[in-house]
Amino acid sequence: MPLPLIPIILGGASLAAAALGIKKGVDAKSDFDSAKSWNKKAQSLYDEASNELKSAHDDAQEAIKLLGESKFEIYEDSIIPFVEIFSKIKNIDFKDSRLLEAANLPQITNAELNEIKQAALEMKEVVGGGIAALGSGGLAGLAAYGSVGLLGTASTGTAIGTLSGVAATNATLAWLGGGSLAAGGLGMAGGTVVLGGIVAGPVLAVGGMMLASKAEAAKHDAYANYDKAQLAAEQMKTATVATNGIHKRFNEINEVLNALNDRFVPLLNSLEELVASNDNYSTYTEIDKKGVFIVASTAKTIKSIMEAPLIDESGALTPDSHKALEFAEERLSSL
């Protein structure tokens, strides 16, 4: 008796369906394994670049803090006392060409002396409140620009909460210095808008149900994740290079400023002794006149370096910062 045909056909179809199901299951597992591997690579790539940028950020932030503190102390302990002592001297005349030749220094004009006095008067109120009154934003602004005009109005004991001008709109300064845009404060996103174009970490599509219909999509998502992570990593590497450059320049300026100030303080002490005994410049010996000129010229140099803008509105190092460094090194070699 012949076997029933229909059950055999149905049985074959069931086997084929089962085999297809097994294949899809194997393919799905392979796709999900691939997706998991690529997602892991993407996360690792992103995390490594992010950690390097974070480390560069922390180093630069410390350099900015130290330079801000140095400038504050130099204003407080050197520039303001210089102006107070120098203002007591009568009949000053720096137009003598023999004096300039003997000192081997550039001319210093009355206008420049007045600028030093004005800066000292403006900073006197700020330093009166103590360094804590600046806050992180004020300290960063002082480090990057060195001008009290960029700091908010302060009174003794009152913290400066805002910056004005370029400092207030500089995302890089706020990010690196821990300060604020106008008043606020920025995290990683704020600084990297300038330093590399990153607004935030890429949104990575990770996970998914273990279904054959989802497996292929998960694999494609993983490839896309890696591409996003690769782009973000390149941007963060660019930001890291820029941040390391800022860190290096701020450290260089800090070192040369402190070296200049170390030379300046003994000169200032000698000037104080001279003025205490005789405040009439016209009666000074040639050596004393030269000494007064050297102190004034060095004060001018220090003020110029402290007020040279180190980063511009886009967050890049300025040509002025390099010129200030060269000028300071040249001045150091002549003292």
Side-chain angles (χ1 to χ4, degrees), residues 137-175:
L139 206 58
L142 190 61
Y145 303 102
S147 172
V148 71
L150 291 167
L151 307 177
T153 301
S155 59
T156 301
T158 303
I160 298 173
T162 61
L163 304 175
S164 61
V166 65
T169 58
N170 196 313
T172 298
L173 178 63
W175 175 62

Side-chain angles (χ1 to χ4, degrees), residues 88-125:
K88 297 175 183 177
I89 305 175
K90 302 170 184 174
N91 305 314
I92 290 177
D93 180 12
F94 285 161
K95 295 178 182 177
D96 188 339
S97 60
R98 293 173 302 171
L99 177 65
L100 298 179
E101 291 170 6
N104 192 29
L105 293 170
Q107 175 65 282
I108 178 168
T109 66
N110 287 332
E112 288 168 332
L113 288 170
N114 287 333
E115 286 175 7
I116 298 173
K117 290 180 182 178
Q118 185 60 36
L121 287 172
E122 291 174 346
M123 280 301 299
K124 194 170 183 178
E125 184 179 10

Side-chain angles (χ1 to χ4, degrees), residues 200-219:
V203 178
L204 303 181
V206 180
M209 294 177 64
M210 192 63 183
L211 298 173
S213 61
K214 300 286 186 179
E216 190 172 355
K219 182 173 69 173

Side-chain angles (χ1 to χ4, degrees), residues 242 244-247 249-250 309-312 314-321:
N244 284 335
I246 290 171
H247 167 216
R249 182 61 48 80
F250 275 66
L310 303 189
I311 55 176
D312 62 22
S314 70
L317 287 168
T318 64
D320 285 345
S321 70

Side-chain angles (χ1 to χ4, degrees), residues 217-233:
K219 182 173 69 173
H220 290 309
D221 283 345
Y223 293 155
N225 284 343
Y226 189 79
D227 288 341
K228 291 177 186 177
Q230 207 168 27
L231 176 61

Side-chain angles (χ1 to χ4, degrees), residues 56-71 74 136-147 150 167 170 172-178 195 241-259 305-312 315-322 324-325 328-329:
H57 164 274
D58 291 348
D59 289 343
Q61 187 178 60
E62 180 65 13
I64 287 174
K65 175 177 172 286
L66 290 175
L67 180 56
E69 289 173 349
S70 290
K71 288 186 176 183
I74 289 170
S136 59
L139 206 58
L142 190 61
Y145 303 102
S147 172
L150 291 167
N170 196 313
T172 298
L173 178 63
W175 175 62
L176 289 175
L195 293 176
V241 170
T243 305
N244 284 335
I246 290 171
H247 167 216
K248 182 172 183 287
R249 182 61 48 80
F250 275 66
N251 268 350
E252 290 170 337
I253 294 291
N254 191 37
E255 287 175 7
V256 78
L257 258 181
N258 279 305
I305 295 165
M306 289 205 295
E307 293 191 354
L310 303 189
I311 55 176
D312 62 22
L317 287 168
T318 64
D320 285 345
S321 70
H322 182 65
L325 185 61
E329 290 172 342

